[in-house]
Amino acid sequence: MTALTLSTSSAATLRADALVIGVAKGPKGPVVAPGAEAVDKAFDGKLATVLETLGASGGEGEVTKLPSPAGLKAPVVVAVGLGELPAKGDGFDEEALRRAAGCAARALTGTKKAAFALPVEDAGSAAAIGEGALLGAYSFKARSNGGAKKDDKSAPLSEVAILGGKPRDKAFKAAAERALAVAAEVNRARDLVNLPSNDLNPKSFAAQVQAAAKEFGLKFEVLDEKALVKGGYGGLMGVGQGSVNPPRLVRIGYTHPKAEKTLALVGKGITYDSGGISLKPAGHNETMKCDMAGAAAVFAAVVAVAKLGLQVNVTGWLALAENMPSGNATRPGDVLNMYSGKTVEVLNTDAEGRLVLADALTRASEENPDAIVDVATLTGAMVLALGDRIFGVMANDDAFRTALYEIAEEVGEQAWPMPLPAELRKSMDSPVADMANMGERMGGGLVAGLFLQEFVGEGIAWAHLDIAGPAFHEKAPYGYTPKGGTGSSVRTLVRLAERTADGDLG
Ligand code: BES
Ligand code: MN
Ligand code: ZN
């Protein structure tokens, strides 16, 4: 992982391989952002003109590299666009800083040390810059051969110094530590999502969680296929039984001695979703290694909470299975006896996420947590509705849904509240079971949410995040978001835990 430091040095004298500065889009052309005064001075006060001549406008995502003039220690200046110049008196938006820092970090692959001289107003903006830089510097190196490709010689940026940070100030120190912990855990989730399904199955996923649990002092429990059969986990077994890689239910627990609240996080962990007997056609299965992104987010969030030592109990439930067709696979028309006692007719084996989540939600409810949040790459319908950057938030409690939506916004994740219309429930009625695993196609993401809701314990506040769109990024990288696994929802879950620890929620 990239190292992060706060520095009081001047942009002119700090030893670094590159100096990152901000440029905003002003009414009459690019404007050099605060933090880069010493750099502008080294350019005889003509930096904005130089940048404009080079074609820079200050627009979001723009990166302009220029050689340093005499007077700067760093040999290269990287000017990164911050977007519209904020109105007088307003600071730069934290997400604009996060994205700009991420862009710069991506442009600095192969560089050792970069100093970020972006506008730092307070600990919050320093944290945003640090987080963005560490997330932008991510590259997938988690395969057992050490690299994504055999000839992969790209070394991510190894050291980030934030100028204008106050290393002896308590708030700044905490902000930097938080940025480091959160970014490391978002990157952990990305690594897990990027691992191909021949490198990650329910058993090896559980082993990774066990190793981390040991490292961070978390309680770890796992149910293997024998225990799942014995315990009556018909949803998890029904989905996993077609694969040579049997399912697992993992529980990781973080507790704080003074905690007043307990949060349960439940993640969909389908390490590969072929669709099962209702096989997905070519064109729909190439990225389905990403179908465990919910479980990865939950795992990463619990570790982040442990690293931060938050005063709240957080239990992570990972519903791990591989959805494959075989002679032993669940058939469309089969009826499963779920862990809750309900029966479910499987009309489509590709609607498998809700089946594994149902068992995990029932199990999580048994411990009577104050709230449950599940995270899942659940439906293509949610991608059709909200596109590939926004996750949907559904809940059995209006205030809790609003809280999650606002928290997502606060940490720079894009989310949108979605309803759970009761009238869609009857489309899941089944003549042979309590319900079917599929209902009407219209509003498919909401139908899936309604299915899950039936497995949440009475009186427990519950929210469902459908991250099918943003979990895996197939287009060109932008801001701090790389191609592939994104770590979607980790930052939202961590902030939810912080807010819960602070007593801000119910
Ligand atoms: N894992 C998929 C959903 C998905 C789609 C995730 C695109 C990421 C990107 C899920 O298991 C699935 O196949 N859902 C079906 C449900 C349907 C059969 C009721 C879907 O959305 O088509
Ligand atoms: Mn599926
Ligand atoms: Zn799936």
Side-chain angles (χ1 to χ4, degrees), residues 209 219-221 249-254 263-267 295 298-299 301-302 313-319 360 364 367 373:
V209 179
K219 192 160 178 230
F220 172 87
E221 285 171 73
L249 178 63
V250 167
R251 179 190 188 281
I252 26 168
Y254 164 78
L263 261 181
L265 308 177
V266 177
V298 165
F299 170 30
V302 176
N313 299 328
V314 182
T315 311
W317 298 92
L318 280 53
E367 299 186 357
V373 179

Side-chain angles (χ1 to χ4, degrees), residues 6 47 61 99 111 120 123 132 194 205 265 267 275 278 287 298 404 416:
L6 296 169
L47 184 50
R99 289 192 185 194
T111 308
V120 172
N194 288 331
F205 196 149
L265 308 177
S278 315
T287 59
V298 165
L404 271 154
W416 201 251

